């Protein structure tokens, strides 16, 4: 964030020009923004899309993915208008985080509510990424076991050990000081996400060719009762909702970009390209997976063992999943760390524990407060993951729990305030109807996903 050092008042134009000294150079480009977005979007959610399509069927499944892609892109366009806000002292203010934008545009009351929601969003992603990584690590061991001993071998392994390994890795990686220092990690993670998504889609296509037919139906997997079908559809909606959004870190990404060309132009271009790429991959993974397995589509395309060979390729894909989620965990955790640490720094301005460095190394400042706080956070997400290690059910709840306020409600409200749009104008009415319609869909998804999680935990 830029800090004003002086102001010059023009005698003719009476404009306030802020002379700023940037403590950190903003050097991001459309490519780094694209890498951050793809790292955030193509995550563990892509692995459950074939299962989601199997619940919705050949028509509703792809259409639902396109609908959520449209909602995500709409949110991005609305948030582009919220990066800079007029400031009575400095001329303008850069909203470097989602929470900053809500507080400056909608006020402190909205910011308090938003802060809780955003915090929940970051925590849920840490939990889902921990579960997914452990499942992929376990799948590598099971794949090797099946290859050695045959497909009928038991090859049963638990999750806990792998969750602990992922947690230890995150404790180490979490010492990266801030979001701007994760560009290299995002680029690696984006490459990994492309790789395993491509492998998943290719394996599905190969299986379709091997079968000689396209499995599945318009109505999706049949159930014994109508109620079961309704609940499975709602959970599928939650899984798809989890797969798309990146709104909560949109402004953090935007705040890394160079000012020439304007951040708004760069971010719009990166958002359109990223959403188009991810939607294409999602349709391929979801469609080919369902076409390959039909009613037997596994909950996780790479770890459900619909595929056994080539085992080395499946192992490689799962290794890419783990590497990607190491980066994805950080992309979503760094903003949460920044918010908490900023609060502690203001509350305890003279504390050596908060401000002092234990050790300085090139590119890394080891701080006692950062070490304790971030280690505790990783411990919490790891512990919760051990308690609820249910992939599809947790993904569904995670997708539905705060999709509407983060992706729809707050972006719409901020846009209406920023553009000073009246309550009964056509644009305002359209956006309000859009908010209400998406709320109904997400409530339906949330209730069904909660039911699925409770059933899985106590069955």
């Amino acid at each position: 964030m830029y800090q004003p050092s002086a102001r010059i008042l023009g005698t003719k134009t009476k404009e306030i020009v802020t002379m700023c000294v940037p403590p950190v150079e903003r050097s991001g480009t459309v490519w780094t923004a694209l890498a951050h977005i793809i790292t955030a979007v193509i995550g563990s959610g892509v692995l459950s899309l074939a299962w989601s399509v199997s619940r919705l069927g050949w028509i509703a499944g792809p259409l639902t993915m396109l609908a959520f892609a449209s909602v995500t892109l709409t949110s991005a366009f609305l948030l582009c208008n919220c990066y800079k806000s007029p400031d009575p002292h400095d001329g303008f203010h850069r909203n470097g985080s989602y929470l900053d934008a809500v507080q400056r545009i909608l006020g402190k009351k909205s910011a308090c509510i938003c802060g809780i929601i955003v915090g929940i969003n970051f925590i849920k992603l840490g939990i889902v990424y921990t579960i997914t990584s452990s499942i992929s690590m376990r799948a590598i061991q099971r794949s090797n076991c099946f290859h050695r001993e045959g497909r009928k071998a038991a090859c049963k392994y638990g999750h806990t050990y792998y969750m602990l390994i992922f947690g230890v890795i995150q404790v180490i990686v979490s010492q990266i000081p801030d979001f701007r220092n994760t560009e290299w990690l995002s680029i690696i993670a984006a490459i990994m996400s492309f790789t395993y998504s491509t492998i998943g889609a290719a394996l599905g296509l190969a299986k379709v060719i091997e079968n000689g037919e396209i499995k599945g139906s318009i109505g999706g997997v049949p159930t014994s009762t109508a109620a079961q079908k309704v609940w499975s559809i709602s959970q599928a909606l939650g899984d798809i909702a989890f797969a798309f959004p990146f709104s909560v870190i949109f402004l953090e990404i935007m705040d890394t970009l160079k000012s020439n060309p304007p951040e708004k132009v760069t971010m719009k271009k990166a958002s359109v390209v990223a959403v188009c790429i991810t939607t294409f991959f999602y349709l391929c993974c979801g469609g080919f997976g369902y076409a390959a397995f039909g009613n037997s589509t596994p909950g996780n395309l790479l770890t459900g063992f619909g595929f056994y060979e080539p085992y080395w390729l499946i192992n490689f894909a799962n290794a890419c999943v783990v590497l990607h989620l190491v980066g994805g965990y950080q992309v979503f955790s760094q903003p949460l760390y920044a918010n908490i640490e900023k609060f502690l720094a203001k509350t305890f301005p003279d504390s050596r524990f908060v401000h002092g460095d234990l050790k300085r190394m090139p590119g890394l400042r080891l701080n006692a407060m950062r070490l304790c706080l971030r280690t505790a956070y990783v411990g919490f997400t790891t512990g919760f993951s051990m308690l609820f290690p249910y992939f599809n059910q947790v993904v569904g709840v995670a997708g539905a729990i705060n999709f509407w306020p983060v992706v729809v409600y707050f972006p719409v409200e901020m846009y209406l305030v920023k553009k000073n749009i009246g309550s009964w104008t056509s644009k305002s009415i359209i956006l309000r109807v859009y908010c209400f319609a998406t709320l109904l869909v997400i409530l339906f998804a949330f209730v069904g996903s909660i039911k699925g999680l409770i059933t899985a935990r106590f069955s």
Side-chain angles (χ1 to χ4, degrees):
M1 196 72 67
Y2 286 96
Q3 300 297 324
S5 58
R7 293 198 304 274
I8 301 173
L9 184 62
T11 55
K12 292 184 179 180
T13 59
K14 293 185 180 180
E15 292 179 341
I16 296 176
V17 180
T18 307
M19 305 300 291
C20 300
V21 179
V24 180
E25 181 183 359
R26 295 185 301 118
S27 58
T29 65
V30 66
W31 296 107
T32 59
L34 189 60
H36 279 312
I37 295 172
I38 289 175
T39 299
V41 178
I42 301 182
S44 54
V46 69
L47 303 175
S48 68
L49 290 178
W51 181 88
S52 299
V53 173
S54 74
R55 267 55 194 170
L56 295 169
W58 274 122
I59 295 178
L63 287 178
T64 301
M65 281 194 270
L66 291 173
F68 276 100
S70 300
V71 171
T72 301
L73 195 56
T74 300
S75 176
F77 286 166
L78 294 175
L79 286 172
C80 275
N81 295 283
C82 302
Y83 177 54
K84 293 181 180 178
S85 297
D87 189 283
H89 301 295
D90 303 328
F92 70 88
H93 175 85
R94 297 181 190 277
N95 297 313
S97 72
Y98 194 95
L99 193 56
D100 282 349
V102 172
Q103 180 166 342
R104 186 161 288 269
I105 298 170
L106 299 180
K108 289 186 177 181
K109 184 177 180 181
S110 294
C112 289
I113 298 171
C114 180
I116 296 171
I117 294 170
V118 169
I120 293 171
N121 183 77
F122 291 137
I123 293 168
K124 73 166 190 189
L125 289 166
I127 293 168
V128 172
Y129 285 6
T130 302
I131 293 171
T132 309
S133 296
S134 69
I135 291 173
S136 289
M137 285 189 276
R138 186 188 67 161
I140 293 173
Q141 188 170 4
R142 291 189 69 200
S143 176
N144 291 331
C145 175
F146 285 132
H147 181 72
R148 288 193 313 267
E149 302 179 18
R151 299 182 184 181
K152 294 184 179 180
C155 297
K156 292 183 178 180
Y157 304 96
H159 295 90
T160 305
Y161 174 72
Y162 301 103
M163 289 181 182
L164 289 173
I165 291 175
F166 185 77
V168 170
I169 293 170
Q170 288 302 332
V171 168
I172 297 169
V173 181
S174 288
Q175 302 314 309
I176 294 172
D178 55 43
F179 194 85
R180 287 183 177 87
N181 295 104
T182 63
E183 284 186 0
W184 61 273
L185 195 60
S186 285
I187 292 170
I188 294 172
I191 294 170
M192 294 299 102
S193 65
F194 271 125
T195 302
Y196 72 72
S197 298
T198 302
I199 291 172
L203 287 172
L205 178 60
K207 187 73 172 179
V208 172
I209 295 171
E210 179 187 326
N211 294 339
E213 63 173 335
I214 297 175
K215 295 185 177 182
S217 63
I218 292 176
V221 176
T223 57
S224 56
T225 66
Q228 288 179 345
K229 185 65 176 178
V230 170
W231 292 126
S232 67
I233 289 173
S234 65
Q235 190 173 321
L237 290 175
D239 282 20
I240 294 174
F242 177 81
F244 275 98
F246 58 95
S247 302
V248 75
I249 60 165
F250 185 90
L251 294 175
E252 274 91 352
I253 297 172
M254 201 167 176
D255 198 41
T256 66
L257 300 177
K258 294 185 290 188
S259 57
N260 188 24
E263 299 92 339
K264 183 177 179 179
V265 174
T266 303
M267 203 60 189
K268 278 189 175 182
K269 186 185 298 183
S271 299
V272 171
V273 174
V275 171
C276 289
I277 290 172
T278 54
T279 303
F280 173 76
F281 273 98
Y282 284 1
L283 289 170
C284 288
C285 287
F288 289 146
Y290 183 40
F293 299 109
N295 294 342
S296 302
T297 302
N300 184 318
L301 189 60
L302 290 176
T303 64
F305 286 94
F307 307 113
Y308 288 88
E309 298 291 343
Y311 83 102
W312 60 268
L313 184 60
I314 298 167
N315 288 352
F316 177 67
N318 278 302
C320 289
V321 172
V322 176
L323 287 173
H324 170 245
L325 295 183
V326 168
Y329 188 105
Q330 287 304 309
V331 166
F332 283 106
S333 298
Q334 286 290 340
L336 179 63
Y337 296 154
N339 288 337
I340 297 174
E341 288 164 10
K342 188 187 298 182
F343 170 78
L344 292 175
K346 288 181 179 179
T347 307
F348 305 102
D350 302 319
S351 171
R352 287 197 63 186
F353 176 77
V354 174
H355 299 279
D357 292 332
L358 295 175
K359 191 174 182 63
R360 279 183 178 269
M361 293 175 282
L364 179 64
R365 289 169 49 241
L366 195 59
N367 172 272
M369 178 268 292
R370 184 186 301 132
L371 180 64
C372 294
L373 171 68
R374 299 185 181 192
T375 300
Y377 171 77
V378 173
F380 171 77
T381 58
T382 304
F384 194 94
S385 301
M386 292 176 181
L387 189 62
F388 293 95
Y390 313 110
F391 177 71
N392 287 99
Q393 292 81 2
V394 171
V395 168
V397 173
I401 193 169
N402 55 9
F403 179 94
W404 184 77
V406 170
V407 181
V408 180
Y409 175 74
F410 284 119
V412 166
E413 290 299 315
M414 287 192 288
Y415 177 80
L416 292 174
V417 172
K418 281 278 291 179
K419 295 296 183 179
N420 198 24
I421 298 172
S423 299
W424 295 104
T425 60
S426 58
K427 185 175 287 189
S428 175
I429 292 171
I430 291 171
L431 288 173
R432 298 291 188 196
V433 171
Y434 161 73
C435 278
F436 182 70
T438 51
L439 175 61
L440 293 179
V441 173
I442 291 303
L443 284 176
F444 174 58
F446 180 69
V447 172
S449 298
I450 286 289
K451 180 186 181 298
L453 182 62
I454 293 172
T455 302
R457 183 69 182 90
F458 295 104
S459 61

